[in-house]
Amino acid sequence: MRPRALAVLVPAHNEQDLLPRSLEAIRAAAQHPALCAVPAITVVTADSCSDGTVTTALRAGAQVVQVGGRNVGLARAAAAERALEMLGGPEGLWLASTDADSLVPPDWLAFQHAGAGAGWDAVVGTVTVIPGPHHPPCLAARHQVRYTASRPAYGPWTHPHVHGANLGVSAESYVAVGGFPPVPVGEDRGLVAALGRGGHRVLRTAECPVATSGRLRPRARGGFGDHLVGLALEEGASP
């Protein structure tokens, strides 16, 4: 059954510069013709912000939750909790997760909505890297080669990646496995692992990638940004 409502979860720590484009992309995705009768909200968790992140999110029409833990697991979970409160509980609700430095494609929410309608409990997508002005010249290419190493020459790619920037889950399945774990990194992998252990149907697909920042000074340590830093250092560049 297709979801009755959608909520987009966005954790943010001092993201006033990149957040406007991210929220604009989410707004465009929510206006996809396939979702004309489906209510959608965006919830931004401002985690230990000292800049204009809160004001930026409110001006864009997002709901805002403020926390102080510098913990992305807690931040995503807080956004999910607010969405559940606002949209009447988990039944028929779909939770889509992205990041404040990422740009979702226009069909992102429609794609997840259709996946839910096809019987999937979660959709685990891929990302592409937005080149940065100070990147080493071969960084994007090096990343792409490694990222797609397991992709077959023909047919669909059941990829091994998990990104909070491109993730969706039915709220009922989310609640059943305990939600995002309260960890400073890897909360996305923790949730997907719990869904697998619980027997929930998880679609791993590369069909609707999200473009994410290639900045070499990431907000969270130990995550995707540090992977890019490592690649940059391999090329002899200073991140």
Side-chain angles (χ1 to χ4, degrees):
M1 183 175 65
R2 292 184 180 240
R4 62 173 174 82
L6 305 166
V8 183
L9 318 177
V10 186
H13 170 66
N14 289 345
E15 292 285 12
Q16 67 176 13
D17 295 331
L18 296 181
L19 186 59
R21 290 186 65 204
S22 177
L23 294 179
E24 179 57 36
I26 292 168
R27 183 182 302 110
Q31 293 172 349
H32 191 280
L35 302 175
C36 61
V38 183
I41 65 169
T42 299
V43 184
V44 174
T45 300
D47 188 358
S48 305
C49 293
S50 58
D51 67 349
T53 292
V54 171
T55 300
T56 298
L58 291 172
R59 284 177 177 169
Q63 301 294 318
V64 176
V65 180
Q66 296 189 60
V67 299
R70 283 305 305 272
N71 182 302
V72 70
L74 289 173
R76 287 196 207 277
E81 183 178 357
R82 174 65 62 85
L84 287 163
E85 292 173 355
M86 292 189 62
L87 294 173
E91 185 177 357
L93 173 62
W94 185 264
L95 303 173
S97 171
T98 191
D99 287 336
D101 64 344
S102 299
L103 302 175
V104 304
D107 61 341
W108 182 65
L109 285 173
F111 180 81
Q112 293 197 17
H113 189 259
W120 296 102
D121 298 314
V123 176
V124 180
T126 57
V127 299
T128 59
V129 175
I130 303 170
H134 305 297
H135 279 183
C138 297
L139 178 63
R142 184 187 293 270
H143 160 74
Q144 189 66 12
V145 167
R146 295 193 183 183
Y147 190 79
T148 60
S150 65
R151 187 167 199 159
Y154 303 99
W157 181 30
T158 304
H159 66 85
H161 308 292
V162 179
H163 304 283
N166 190 0
L167 178 62
V169 60
S170 80
E172 291 171 275
S173 293
Y174 174 86
V175 170
V177 301
F180 287 108
V183 293
V185 67
E187 80 296 340
D188 43 10
R189 294 188 295 275
L191 174 62
V192 172
L195 291 167
R197 291 192 300 269
H200 300 268
R201 297 189 67 209
V202 177
L203 172 64
R204 290 177 175 268
T205 176
E207 289 189 30
C208 195
V210 167
T212 195
S213 168
R215 62 188 174 194
L216 298 181
R217 287 179 171 80
R219 293 291 189 263
R221 308 309 306 178
F224 184 70
D226 277 355
H227 158 71
L228 295 179
V229 171
L231 291 182
L233 291 174
E234 286 182 15
E235 295 190 34
S238 177

